[in-house]
Amino acid sequence: GRYLVVSAIANQLRFPSTHTYLGSRMVLALFSKSDDVVCECIARVLVERILVNRPFPWGLLVTLIELLRNPFYAFWNHSFTRESPQIAEILTAVSTSIHPSDPPSTAA
């Protein structure tokens, strides 16, 4: 159920519009106020969509950049980012491909 709800919201992260803005703010608010299980689900849905071929929907890219770069969300401090070396490598690669000049902060 949780995955489907987050996925349905992520489907609305498309071109610049108030609809996309609402979806993006919902995802970011859920991430900031939820436990690690929900945060991991949100990260999984967004990263799954970034790993496919380009072009990425504008709203998805903006939401993921905000999540990765804004210290308020403390993305890199969540335990799921360090659970396995493969997951950490994928997240770091995604972060680097989105914004190459700003490497992720892995300090806990």
Side-chain angles (χ1 to χ4, degrees):
R2 178 184 315 121
Y3 177 83
L4 294 175
V5 170
V6 173
S7 189
I9 296 170
N11 285 340
Q12 305 308 311
L13 302 175
R14 300 173 290 189
F15 51 87
S17 69
T18 54
H19 195 135
T20 298
Y21 179 78
L22 175 65
S24 178
R25 291 294 134 198
M26 284 175 54
V27 168
L28 295 172
L30 278 172
F31 192 89
S32 69
K33 298 184 186 314
S34 300
D35 61 357
D36 266 3
V37 176
V38 176
C39 291
E40 182 178 2
C41 182
I42 291 169
R44 174 185 169 197
V45 168
L46 297 178
V47 170
E48 280 176 351
R49 291 158 194 268
I50 287 292
L51 291 177
V52 298
N53 293 331
R54 295 176 189 237
F56 310 123
W58 178 87
L60 178 72
L61 199 57
V62 167
T63 304
L64 191 57
I65 289 170
E66 181 72 12
L67 199 59
L68 294 174
R69 294 184 64 211
N70 191 333
F72 174 77
Y73 301 109
F75 182 85
W76 299 104
N77 294 340
H78 289 278
S79 62
F80 66 85
T81 61
R82 300 177 303 278
E83 268 182 17
S84 77
Q86 295 86 4
I87 292 172
E89 185 179 325
I90 289 170
L91 290 172
T92 303
V94 167
S95 177
T96 303
S97 71
I98 288 174
H99 201 300
S101 64
D102 190 19
S105 170
T106 55

